[in-house]
Amino acid sequence: MAFESNNFNVVKKEKLNKGEFSVDCLVQVEGAAKILALSTDASISNYEVLNGVINFAGCVDVCVVYLSEDGETLSANACCPYTSKFEGENIMTGQKAILNVKVIDCEVSSVSADSLRLVCQVEQSGQLVSSQEISSIKTDDQDVCFKSEELSIIRFLGEACEIANISSEIAPRGNVKKILLGESQVMVRNVESGVNFVSVSGDVVTRLLYLTDEDKFESTYVNESFKEEVELEGATRESLVEAYASIKRDNVQISVLEGEKGGVINLAVPVNICVKAYEEANALVIKDLYSTCNEIKVTTSSFDMSKVCKGEVVESKIDGSLTLDEDKPRIDKILFVGGNSVTVSNSYLKDGEVFVEGIAKTYVIYLNDEDNSLNSVQIDIPFLISDKFNVDNADGILSVDAIVCDVDVVAKKGRELFYDAKIKATVNYCFNVLSGVITNAEVAGSYPEKDFAMELVYGRAGKDAWDIAKEARVKEELILAQNPEVVFPLSEDTGLVLFYQMKK
């Protein structure tokens, strides 16, 4: 009696343990007398999955807006490399990962005449994506009776990444003396699958801060929508797809071109778009089996596979306020805000809604008329936003990427700051589906041959022909052929007569 393997693959997504690490940044400056604003962002350049560990590397991009000893407002940029890792017994070579890093805090540790040192705290999180082989069996043995079923499964098709260059032209207000700060953020709005490609659309939001020839601070938001097709062999229109986008700020190009009709700011933002595709398929497996000649020991196993839901976008206005400490100079005029960031601290599903909690941050640079000084203060605004999010299972893995835009701060009474902005968040979700299958079958012994020509079998109410045939160790066809008047499943206890052909 022979059983052959009939294995198939399913996808499994698992949450990686969240952690934190520190990155030291050395920024070259020209005699910094006062730090006005810090803008930071973290990105990942590469990762490697090995047994027990995921090693990854990237950099923290820093922009410092500061006041020089000569009273000039300047800015300096630095790209600070780092390495980190995830560890776990479930991590195996060949698996894929979705990794995310976010700067949650950054402080100036020391300042010298030509440099300043920062210590940035970076949060790491992510998901592990694996294609798991599930053991199953098949047989063509004539003495084995089996029931088959089409088991709905979810398989990983593959991944692909591509860089899209998003360009803009901005007409500035006045002649640009210098660009002080450029903060670019990206969000994915919609993901659709096609034949061998995945279409990703989203928004790139950039805040530019610049100084004019009249030494006036000006700022503007640049919103660019994009739609890119990422080639992914094997994808179909029915594929389940998800996409993640990121920007390495160090690669953003900002230039100013002067012309006869005024200057133009050229902005080029490279967006790294990574997509993953999955498919729902059917695997034909044996649901139940028995032998008419041998006792069979059957082993069954359960397994999890992940169902990927379509991503959703949550948008909401947020607001908050801050009262200056008594030792801070009063606010006579807000010059600009910069160093805008948002950190998601928690997200969850409840009663058909998704909730996103976090903190939005910005620096407010203002003028004090009494001593004609430039000063700055950081505002931290806690927020909670929500929207409808109906899913079949609320115990899955929720991941949220958020950006902040349209930041506005006004001052009242010289000491009160009122903040409002818009939070845009892309929500991705998956949950596990539990299933089971027969993984192995072994012959445990032979049944004695039947030495009689007729047998009376009693079938209990509710039993079908398969159940009775399995108990009697005969083929289901024999039950049906010799009892044509009986309706299955049985409505009451019924005696069935079986006739056998005796061997000579």
Side-chain angles (χ1 to χ4, degrees):
M1 181 174 296
F3 291 97
E4 300 176 12
S5 63
N6 183 34
N7 299 348
F8 55 90
N9 292 322
V10 299
V11 68
K12 178 71 178 292
K13 296 181 72 175
E14 301 172 80
K15 211 168 188 178
L16 292 167
N17 292 328
K18 186 179 290 188
E20 295 181 10
F21 60 92
S22 296
V23 178
D24 289 330
C25 290
L26 186 65
V27 185
Q28 303 298 321
V29 295
E30 300 176 17
K34 182 185 292 185
I35 307 302
L36 299 177
L38 290 176
S39 177
T40 59
D41 194 23
S43 59
I44 296 172
S45 56
N46 60 79
Y47 75 88
E48 182 183 28
V49 182
L50 302 172
N51 289 335
V53 64
I54 300 175
N55 296 311
F56 65 96
C59 89
V60 173
D61 292 305
V62 176
C63 180
V64 182
V65 181
Y66 64 97
L67 195 66
S68 73
E69 295 172 349
D70 298 331
E72 187 177 3
T73 304
L74 302 173
S75 63
N77 296 275
C79 179
C80 309
Y82 70 81
T83 60
S84 188
K85 62 184 177 180
F86 292 90
E87 295 180 295
E89 295 180 355
N90 58 331
I91 300 174
M92 304 292 290
T93 301
Q95 293 173 326
K96 306 297 181 181
I98 302 168
L99 305 182
N100 183 53
V101 288
K102 185 73 177 178
V103 178
I104 57 176
D105 192 25
C106 200
E107 295 184 354
V108 179
S109 62
S110 64
V111 180
S112 66
D114 58 357
S115 67
L116 59 90
R117 188 175 295 276
L118 307 174
V119 178
C120 296
Q121 199 69 13
V122 181
E123 181 185 82
Q124 64 182 49
S125 59
Q127 299 173 39
L128 189 65
V129 182
S130 58
S131 184
Q132 298 183 341
E133 186 176 59
I134 306 301
S135 296
S136 178
I137 60 171
K138 63 181 180 180
T139 183
D140 57 3
D141 194 307
Q142 297 299 312
D143 294 326
V144 175
C145 304
F146 60 86
K147 269 186 176 181
S148 296
E149 70 171 349
E150 285 192 341
L151 183 66
S152 180
I153 61 172
I154 304 161
R155 298 190 297 209
F156 179 60
L157 287 177
E159 65 175 359
C161 294
E162 161 178 309
I163 295 179
N165 289 298
I166 313 301
S167 300
S168 306
E169 283 191 357
I170 305 101
R173 293 185 288 268
N175 293 325
V176 179
K177 182 178 180 180
K178 68 179 73 170
I179 301 291
L180 291 175
L181 177 63
E183 298 174 318
S184 294
Q185 307 169 88
V186 62
M187 68 171 296
V188 174
R189 280 197 170 275
N190 190 45
V191 189
E192 300 289 344
S193 60
V195 179
N196 294 323
F197 73 89
V198 176
S199 176
V200 182
S201 59
D203 298 329
V204 173
V205 180
T206 302
R207 182 175 177 81
L208 290 176
L209 171 66
Y210 56 94
L211 196 63
T212 68
D213 286 343
E214 292 78 24
D215 287 333
K216 183 180 179 181
F217 293 100
E218 295 285 358
S219 63
T220 184
Y221 272 102
V222 184
N223 292 270
E224 289 287 350
S225 297
F226 67 87
K227 186 174 183 178
E228 298 290 330
E229 290 185 357
V230 181
E231 293 184 7
L232 180 55
E233 188 175 353
T236 68
R237 291 185 177 88
E238 290 73 36
S239 297
L240 306 169
V241 288
E242 57 186 355
Y244 299 85
S246 62
I247 297 170
K248 190 175 183 297
R249 287 195 191 178
D250 188 50
N251 293 335
V252 175
Q253 301 294 319
I254 306 174
S255 59
V256 180
L257 298 178
E258 297 295 341
E260 295 180 359
K261 297 182 179 180
V264 173
I265 300 175
N266 286 333
L267 176 65
V269 182
V271 178
N272 186 36
I273 304 172
C274 290
V275 299
K276 287 180 170 60
Y278 314 84
E279 71 170 354
E280 292 183 339
N282 291 321
L284 188 63
V285 299
I286 294 177
K287 180 181 179 181
D288 194 11
L289 64 83
Y290 64 91
S291 171
T292 59
C293 300
N294 301 287
E295 181 183 355
I296 300 178
K297 181 181 179 182
V298 174
T299 303
T300 61
S301 296
S302 60
F303 62 91
D304 284 331
M305 52 188 168
S306 297
K307 174 71 177 290
V308 178
C309 300
K310 185 176 176 62
E312 299 287 346
V313 174
V314 179
E315 298 184 24
S316 182
K317 285 277 191 179
I318 65 169
D319 56 53
S321 62
L322 173 71
T323 301
L324 291 185
D325 295 335
E326 289 300 323
D327 59 345
K328 283 278 189 182
R330 65 172 280 117
I331 304 166
D332 291 308
K333 182 181 180 180
I334 292 178
L335 298 180
F336 64 89
V337 295
N340 301 308
S341 66
V342 59
T343 301
V344 175
S345 57
N346 188 30
S347 58
Y348 56 92
L349 299 175
K350 183 180 179 181
D351 299 332
E353 288 188 88
V354 60
F355 294 85
V356 179
E357 297 181 44
I359 298 176
K361 302 179 181 181
T362 194
Y363 287 88
V364 180
I365 291 75
Y366 64 92
L367 181 67
N368 175 263
D369 290 339
E370 185 176 348
D371 57 7
N372 197 32
S373 63
L374 280 182
N375 303 275
S376 67
V377 63
Q378 183 178 350
I379 301 180
D380 295 352
I381 304 297
F383 66 85
L384 172 62
I385 64 175
S386 64
D387 203 350
K388 292 181 180 179
F389 197 88
N390 293 317
V391 294
D392 298 332
N393 185 315
D395 297 323
I397 300 175
L398 192 66
S399 62
V400 178
D401 293 323
I403 65 173
V404 61
C405 60
D406 300 339
V407 176
D408 186 37
V409 181
V410 296
K412 295 183 180 179
K413 300 180 181 179
R415 309 205 67 82
E416 295 180 1
L417 291 169
F418 293 88
Y419 170 103
D420 68 77
K422 179 181 284 187
I423 298 292
K424 300 179 180 181
T426 303
V427 179
N428 288 291
Y429 184 69
C430 70
F431 60 90
N432 287 339
V433 178
L434 182 65
S435 192
V437 70
I438 295 176
T439 57
N440 192 31
E442 297 177 349
V443 176
S446 299
Y447 294 129
E449 290 187 9
K450 295 181 178 180
D451 56 357
F452 41 84
M454 184 184 70
E455 181 180 14
L456 181 61
V457 176
Y458 285 95
R460 296 178 181 176
K463 295 287 186 178
D464 59 20
W466 171 269
D467 299 324
I468 298 169
K470 185 175 181 180
E471 292 176 1
R473 305 194 306 275
V474 298
K475 293 187 177 182
E476 184 180 16
E477 293 82 357
L478 184 65
I479 298 284
L480 297 173
Q482 294 189 3
N483 298 271
E485 75 285 355
V486 178
V487 178
F488 296 97
L490 299 176
S491 59
E492 59 183 13
D493 293 349
T494 305
L496 305 172
V497 178
L498 301 178
F499 297 93
Y500 304 115
Q501 184 176 356
M502 299 298 297
K503 294 182 180 180
K504 295 182 179 181

